[in-house]
Amino acid sequence: MAKGITKRSEDYSRWYTDVIAAAKMADYSPVRGCMVIRPTGYAIWEKMQAGLDKMFKETGHVNAYFPCFIPESFMKKEAEHVEGFAPECAIVTHGGGKKLDEPLYVRPTSETIIWSMYKNWIQSHRDLPILINQWANVVRWEMRTRLFLRTTEFLWQEGHTAHATAEEAEAETRQMLEVYRTFAEEYMAMPVIPGIKTENEKFAGAERTYCIEAMMQDGKALQAGTSHNLGQNFAKAFDVTYQTEAGVREHVWATSWGVSTRLIGALIMTHSDDNGLVVPPKLAPLQTVLVPIWRGDDERAQILERANQLAADWKGKFSYKIDDRDNYRPGWKFNEWEKAGVPIRLEMGPKDLANNVVVMVRRDTGEKEILSQENLTAKISATLDAIQKNLYDNALDFREKNTHTVDTYDEFKERLENESGFYWVHWDGTTETEQRLQAETKATIRLIPLAPEPEPGKCMITGKPSPHRVLVAKAY
RNA sequence: CGGGGCGUAGCGCAGCUCGGUUAGCGCGCAUGCUUCGGGAGCAUGAGGUCCCCGGUUCAAAUCCGGGCGCCCCGACCA
């Protein structure tokens, strides 16, 4: 039934790219490592943007736009930042046919150019906080790329805030992490675990990085969003100070936070199946498609008339399309919309017309149901809600089934071989042990829980004391 | 950067080993008719720098040399 899509059990990577191709979400571009986001993929991004942007505004943020070119000298001002990003930057050396006096970095992230501006905008505590977000593209010259998950250029949002106190910055960082968690769970129907990154994994230039981690269907972890407490690092690098109420000059406290088009990859790998894309109703570009079935022009006219009558009640309640194309047959359409992940398909033919019913098919379960044409609108709305919930429940159930607790390194290594998934383990808190773990098993410490359950134990590798467990997994 | 695979019609491929008519096949595309409840059938038709450069030869998609590009897998990263 799913011609052209490799089964997940055969080859997970190929399945992933097949789903994207079958749903016409993206295409490879003439430029290595870059992708073209096609209308179907972009529509999902627009839905994500709409949901997130609303939440950003509700928490007091405003949008702005900063340039994509950053003077080299700016990039070099924060030591850890430049060290972290320099290897993966694209640099413009020529413009207008002439060599530039100073090379321009194509932004891999915008902290530096934004803080160069904040320096001018901030003098007094009265100027704080600044709560700016921008929707933009960024470029990171990755060695290996995968559609949506890691491309040389990608789209994202980056919030950059400035605060008078460390406490306020920390509260902001945590608040935005919570926004991401809510978005992932409520819109994407993707359960996530919030936490803190280890020193080793934190953002270049941050004091502390928070993240949300999700489990993909192959048991691997995917970092779905990050929120950084930047402390005073950028304020010091760019000499951004303000006068307190008491008249004292202090460096400003900063945060930054972002999610990217990678979320689309996360969405695919959380819900989709061997028949193609599955999209939760809240992010589906098209929520319901009605496929009319007819023989001959008379039936066609009758069916379409009834379909339009029914659909008149749907406006403003959910998005829909009546697929009245005459050049494709119903079976072909069923398949196409299935691959595209449309949550609900309705079928209506002559028999249904005679019986005053329609056939409804759920994308998530494949269940067919014959519905009266009375109260159809309410039934569709309720089913969309049910699909949203079912997708979340399934994803959560999958994660729980694939989350393990282990105490010894031998057991960990053995189980990781056979069951990829999340592992809660004891760790002694050192970077050396973390690096050894990664070198020996390819798994990484994904996060330290926000509010860890105190559980004194011994590091599974070194046997040194550990106050609580951390989350370890192979990751994208 | 290492390992593997591959460049021939829009897409997927055969042909290459062993050089030889006008380079094929499937899907898709165009037109027409019949169809239409899970990827329709028939007929007709359009569509090619055989990745590039050089060499060998009467003759190269095919042999030789060099180059470029893409995909997959690993080391780094959202």
Side-chain angles (χ1 to χ4, degrees), chain A residues 224-241:
Chain A
T226 51
S227 183
H228 315 291
N229 185 332
L230 302 175
Q232 293 176 307
N233 294 340
F234 285 91
K236 284 177 178 164
F238 286 87
D239 192 29
V240 185
T241 59

Side-chain angles (χ1 to χ4, degrees), chain A residues 60-363:
Chain A
H61 301 86
V62 291
N63 286 330
Y65 187 80
F66 295 82
C68 70
F69 297 125
I70 301 178
E72 182 172 48
S73 55
F74 286 19
M75 282 301 295
K76 293 187 167 168
K77 281 192 177 173
E78 212 286 332
E80 282 187 24
H81 191 68
V82 66
E83 192 189 330
F85 280 106
E88 52 184 286
C89 284
I91 301 170
V92 178
T93 56
H94 289 73
K98 278 183 274 185
K99 188 165 189 293
L100 301 174
D101 290 338
E102 182 180 4
L104 296 172
Y105 279 49
V106 180
R107 63 179 163 218
T109 180
S110 302
E111 275 77 5
T112 57
I113 197 156
I114 287 178
W115 280 85
S116 77
M117 298 306 298
Y118 283 2
K119 177 180 168 58
N120 301 332
W121 298 349
I122 298 168
Q123 276 99 40
S124 153
H125 66 90
R126 296 176 205 278
D127 298 323
L128 296 172
I130 293 182
L131 304 172
I132 286 181
N133 174 66
Q134 85 165 342
W135 291 95
N137 61 334
V138 285
V139 168
R140 295 182 188 177
W141 216 263
E142 301 290 350
M143 291 184 254
R144 238 192 92 215
T145 57
R146 296 189 70 190
L147 293 175
F148 290 114
L149 293 178
R150 184 171 301 109
T151 47
T152 299
E153 180 192 18
F154 57 93
L155 305 183
W156 76 346
Q157 58 67 217
E158 46 181 327
H160 294 274
T161 67
H163 306 267
T165 66
E167 293 70 31
E168 211 181 299
E170 177 65 11
E172 167 77 5
T173 313
R174 295 287 291 261
Q175 172 184 247
M176 298 324 287
L177 184 76
E178 182 59 18
V179 164
Y180 290 154
R181 189 191 64 76
T182 304
F183 178 79
E185 295 183 350
E186 291 186 4
Y187 285 76
M188 298 177 67
M190 180 175 78
V192 292
I193 300 178
I196 307 171
K197 283 293 184 194
T198 62
E199 277 298 300
N200 198 37
E201 296 270 333
K202 76 176 189 192
F203 177 77
E207 287 292 303
R208 194 157 46 250
T209 290
Y210 294 95
C211 64
I212 51 173
E213 293 280 333
M215 184 188 287
M216 303 294 100
Q217 288 174 5
D218 61 352
K220 286 167 83 173
L222 186 130
Q223 179 175 305
T226 51
S227 183
H228 315 291
N229 185 332
L230 302 175
Q232 293 176 307
N233 294 340
F234 285 91
K236 284 177 178 164
F238 286 87
D239 192 29
V240 185
T241 59
Y242 73 101
Q243 279 194 304
T244 66
E245 285 178 71
V248 183
R249 279 218 164 264
E250 299 273 7
H251 283 288
V252 173
W253 300 82
T255 84
S256 70
W257 28 274
V259 296
S260 72
T261 37
R262 172 178 247 207
L263 289 182
I264 297 172
L267 196 70
I268 295 166
M269 286 198 290
T270 300
H271 302 304
S272 299
D273 60 25
D274 287 346
N275 294 324
L277 186 65
V278 176
V279 191
K282 282 191 185 175
L283 294 178
L286 180 63
Q287 293 172 309
T288 304
V289 65
L290 189 152
V291 177
I293 296 152
W294 64 71
R295 284 163 305 185
D297 289 342
D298 290 352
E299 275 185 7
R300 179 170 194 263
Q302 285 172 10
I303 299 279
L304 288 179
E305 186 189 355
R306 186 65 187 132
N308 281 304
Q309 282 170 5
L310 291 171
D313 192 41
W314 300 345
K315 277 204 172 65
K317 299 187 174 99
F318 47 82
S319 59
Y320 65 90
K321 179 185 181 70
I322 297 171
D323 187 354
D324 61 357
R325 290 175 294 178
D326 203 9
N327 49 338
Y328 293 108
R329 299 165 75 254
W332 193 94
K333 294 177 183 175
F334 296 167
N335 197 260
E336 183 181 52
W337 294 117
E338 199 161 87
K339 288 187 300 190
V342 178
I344 291 180
R345 180 178 79 237
L346 301 172
E347 307 169 11
M348 187 168 67
K351 291 177 218 158
D352 304 312
L353 203 60
N355 297 327
N356 220 35
V357 296
V358 298
V359 176
M360 178 179 76
V361 184
R362 282 173 63 150
R363 178 63 184 88

